[in-house]
Amino acid sequence: MRKKYKQLTKAKRLQLEALNQAGLSKRKIADQLGVHISTIYRELKRGEYEHLNTDYTTTISYSSDLSQKKHDENMKAKGGELKIGKNIALADYIEHKIIDDKFSPGAVSGTLKNGEVDFNITLSKQTIYSYIEKGIFRNLTNKDLPVKRNKKHTNYNKVQKRKNAGTSIEDRPAEIDTREDFGNWEMDTVVGKQGVSKQSLLVLTERKTRSEIVRLLPQHTAQAVVSALDGIELDMGFKMFHRIFKTITVDNGTEFSDAEGIARSITKNKPRVDVYYCHPYSSYERGTNEVTNKLIRRHVPKGTDMDYLTPEHVQKIEDWINAYPREMFGWRSSADLYKEEIRKLA
């Protein structure tokens, strides 16, 4: 679960100064102040100065007064004629959500509209993008944006007929395309550094709610995928699993080659889910997965060695995605919609 945003007030800066002088680690200071550790690093840098000791040596120290003065001057110089005005707390909030919580400007706009924090002001995502490009923030630049604007859309070629075993997506019920029915999932994997990472991530995305289940695979194999699904079934129980998972659509990767194992229940002598395979080289047929995988990459960039990941790390990523505000849902989260669908099943 993400920490609720707390702005760094003048009193908090004084507290930070005392804790820093006492020699506490940055992690412990962040925990005591209830802020992200990145906020502490930025704040210490902002208030950094060279202190002259009694023996005429110098050390690098932090001054809460200096930091507060720089912060106020920065916002006065850059924000005075904009809608954000002199609202330093709002500027801090936007920086925190994008840099620390990895939100897009659109998602930040959504949290302001939904009243996560009351600043008595709302900003459109276009306005936030504009402020970033104008350089009104002290720490936030275009480099911090998780998704850049004006990205060209990919033109896809005509699909190829699949040759592998398994039920083709061509035979999948047409009503699944409408996303009106709950319980139809897409499944994919996210891999780490090639030739280094043994572990990978199994990613399941529900098409209606965009709810996400992420599991850590010890090996990038068909057996590991089946074992992960078996674990999910054991956690839910066959009856609930069968109601939540009506269909799963996958690509033609070797890790999904065991169609029978994916479909077969680990607890009952019968199928647990219908499995459909996309056409080769047609990732857009799992478009929901493709979009969600970009959210995962905000936490695990391409080229990352995934062998350091633990189930606890993966759970935090899953929780972050499911709590992320979605524009398509009026800035509600997938977790909200998923809970509503589960209540309907009760």
Side-chain angles (χ1 to χ4, degrees):
M1 180 180 290
R2 300 190 310 275
K3 286 185 177 180
K4 192 75 170 178
Y5 171 75
K6 295 180 181 179
Q7 69 184 67
L8 207 57
T9 62
K10 185 175 182 179
K12 289 285 187 180
R13 288 187 169 93
L14 287 168
Q15 188 179 355
L16 187 157
E17 184 173 6
L19 294 173
N20 186 56
Q21 289 176 353
L24 269 69
S25 69
K26 295 176 179 62
R27 171 61 66 187
K28 290 184 178 179
I29 294 175
D31 291 341
Q32 287 205 29
L33 298 184
V35 298
H36 195 280
I37 190 171
S38 298
T39 302
I40 301 301
Y41 276 104
R42 290 198 302 271
E43 181 62 26
L44 290 173
K45 185 67 175 177
R46 176 185 289 156
E48 181 179 282
Y49 76 101
E50 193 173 49
H51 177 73
L52 180 64
N53 302 313
T54 56
D55 60 356
Y56 297 102
T57 61
T58 59
T59 56
I60 300 300
S61 299
Y62 167 79
S63 167
S64 59
D65 288 338
L66 177 61
S67 178
Q68 188 73 41
K69 181 180 179 181
K70 285 184 177 180
H71 193 254
D72 294 348
E73 288 176 349
N74 180 70
M75 292 310 301
K76 181 179 180 180
K78 293 188 175 181
E81 298 178 359
L82 302 174
K83 186 177 180 181
I84 199 172
K86 298 179 181 179
N87 197 330
I88 298 170
L90 176 56
D92 278 348
Y93 176 77
I94 294 171
E95 287 190 338
H96 167 73
K97 299 302 287 186
I98 294 178
I99 297 175
D100 300 332
D101 281 354
K102 306 182 190 303
F103 273 35
S104 69
V108 176
S109 173
T111 62
L112 293 173
K113 291 175 182 176
N114 286 348
E116 177 181 305
V117 181
D118 186 12
F119 289 105
N120 294 317
I121 187 175
T122 60
L123 299 172
S124 69
K125 63 181 179 181
Q126 290 84 3
T127 298
I128 297 175
Y129 272 116
S130 175
Y131 285 179
I132 295 171
E133 290 170 359
K134 290 177 180 177
I136 77 159
F137 298 102
R138 180 175 178 82
N139 302 293
L140 177 59
T141 69
N142 276 313
K143 294 180 180 179
D144 298 302
L145 295 177
V147 180
K148 304 300 186 290
R149 289 196 293 176
N150 302 325
K151 185 174 181 180
K152 293 182 179 179
H153 293 285
T154 303
N155 293 319
Y156 295 102
N157 296 324
K158 186 177 180 180
V159 300
Q160 302 179 29
K161 297 288 184 178
R162 61 181 308 279
K163 299 178 180 179
N164 297 340
T167 305
S168 170
I169 193 173
E170 295 174 12
D171 299 320
R172 192 178 72 176
E175 58 267 23
I176 293 178
D177 293 336
T178 66
R179 300 180 184 271
E180 294 178 0
D181 187 32
F182 174 75
N184 300 295
W185 297 72
E186 297 174 9
M187 185 163 66
D188 194 14
T189 53
V190 175
V191 299
K193 190 172 183 179
Q194 189 173 8
V196 176
S197 299
K198 293 182 180 180
Q199 294 189 147
S200 60
L201 297 179
L202 181 68
V203 183
L204 293 120
T205 310
E206 202 281 317
R207 285 176 55 83
K208 180 179 181 179
T209 64
R210 272 65 166 186
S211 183
E212 193 83 353
I213 294 176
V214 187
R215 292 293 182 269
L216 188 62
L217 300 180
Q219 301 285 338
H220 195 68
T221 63
Q223 181 180 357
V225 168
V226 172
S227 295
L229 291 172
D230 290 345
I232 296 172
E233 181 188 341
L234 290 170
D235 289 341
M236 292 184 176
F238 173 79
K239 183 178 180 181
M240 183 57 72
F241 183 96
H242 190 58
R243 297 180 73 186
I244 292 176
F245 288 87
K246 298 175 182 177
T247 69
I248 298 179
T249 301
V250 299
D251 63 23
N252 292 272
T254 56
E255 70 271 28
F256 301 131
S257 60
D258 188 359
E260 182 180 351
I262 293 172
R264 184 183 61 245
S265 170
I266 187 66
T267 59
K268 304 286 184 180
N269 187 26
K270 54 184 176 181
R272 61 186 170 194
V273 66
D274 294 330
V275 185
Y276 296 95
Y277 284 83
C278 296
H279 297 95
Y281 313 109
S282 303
S283 60
Y284 61 90
E285 291 179 336
R286 292 178 299 98
T288 310
N289 257 155
E290 292 295 304
V291 171
T292 306
N293 287 353
K294 293 178 182 178
L295 294 176
I296 291 178
R297 286 300 187 188
R298 297 188 194 179
H299 299 268
V300 188
K302 289 184 178 180
T304 298
D305 181 2
M306 287 192 180
D307 288 350
Y308 81 92
L309 291 177
T310 66
E312 291 73 24
H313 287 137
V314 175
Q315 186 62 53
K316 288 181 179 179
I317 295 173
E318 178 186 307
D319 291 342
W320 179 88
I321 293 174
N322 288 331
Y324 193 85
R326 306 291 186 109
E327 185 173 12
M328 69 184 74
F329 301 139
W331 300 114
R332 298 178 66 199
S333 70
S334 295
D336 293 334
L337 275 68
Y338 184 81
K339 289 175 184 177
E340 290 179 359
E341 294 294 338
I342 295 300
R343 282 196 290 269
K344 294 177 185 178
L345 298 178

